[in-house]
């Protein structure tokens, strides 16, 4: 599959993902560990986005290629999260959905592009 998402678009998608993590506890009724994890992932994803060497970041410290490898790990881990933490219902659905979305975006992104 040929990558169709360039670094600029990926940056916008990353900020959107941060917003989704921040809104997930309210939108999906995530409480307890599921909600806390969503907020933590919002902070972590924002930090990674802000320091990646691509458009829309503020400090170009992490190569975009490495950002891609992190997402190649995070997507599948998010798919496993409901099993690791015993999430059911909406929490299980959310973590499956966000994990699958990160995997698809990763497959469609050109991590070798420079801008």
């Amino acid at each position: 599959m040929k990558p169709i998402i360039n670094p600029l678009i990926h940056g916008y998608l990353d900020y959107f993902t941060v917003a989704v993590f921040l809104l997930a506890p309210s939108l999906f009724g995530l409480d307890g560990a599921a909600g806390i994890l969503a907020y933590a992932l919002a902070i972590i994803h924002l930090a990674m986005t802000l320091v990646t060497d691509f458009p829309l970041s503020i400090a170009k410290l992490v190569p975009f290629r490495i950002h891609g490898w992190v997402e190649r790990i995070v997507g599948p881990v998010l798919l496993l999260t409901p099993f690791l933490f015993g999430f059911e219902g909406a929490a299980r659905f959310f973590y499956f959905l966000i994990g699958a979305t990160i995997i698809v975006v990763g497959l469609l992104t050109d991590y070798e592009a420079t801008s």
Side-chain angles (χ1 to χ4, degrees):
M1 181 182 325
K2 183 179 179 191
I4 59 171
I5 298 174
N6 65 36
L8 178 63
I9 298 302
H10 191 96
Y12 285 117
L13 292 172
D14 274 353
Y15 286 110
F16 179 75
T17 301
V18 170
V20 168
F21 278 128
L22 286 174
L23 294 172
S26 297
L27 294 176
F28 290 89
L30 306 181
D31 55 7
I36 292 167
L37 181 59
Y39 290 130
L41 289 169
I43 293 166
I44 293 165
H45 203 88
L46 178 61
M48 183 70 159
T49 301
L50 291 173
V51 299
T52 295
D53 185 8
F54 71 155
L56 305 180
S57 72
I58 60 170
K60 317 268 189 231
L61 303 174
V62 176
F64 190 42
R65 181 177 66 260
I66 300 300
H67 179 105
W69 280 109
V70 170
E71 289 183 347
R72 287 179 184 105
I73 294 167
V74 169
V77 168
L78 288 174
L79 290 178
L80 295 174
T81 297
F83 303 107
L84 297 171
F85 291 97
F87 295 161
E88 298 288 336
R92 177 175 284 198
F93 173 77
F94 171 72
Y95 284 101
F96 280 160
L97 179 65
I98 196 73
T101 301
I102 288 172
I103 290 169
V104 170
V105 169
L107 290 171
L108 295 175
T109 297
D110 183 358
Y111 290 107
E112 299 302 320
T114 57
S115 59

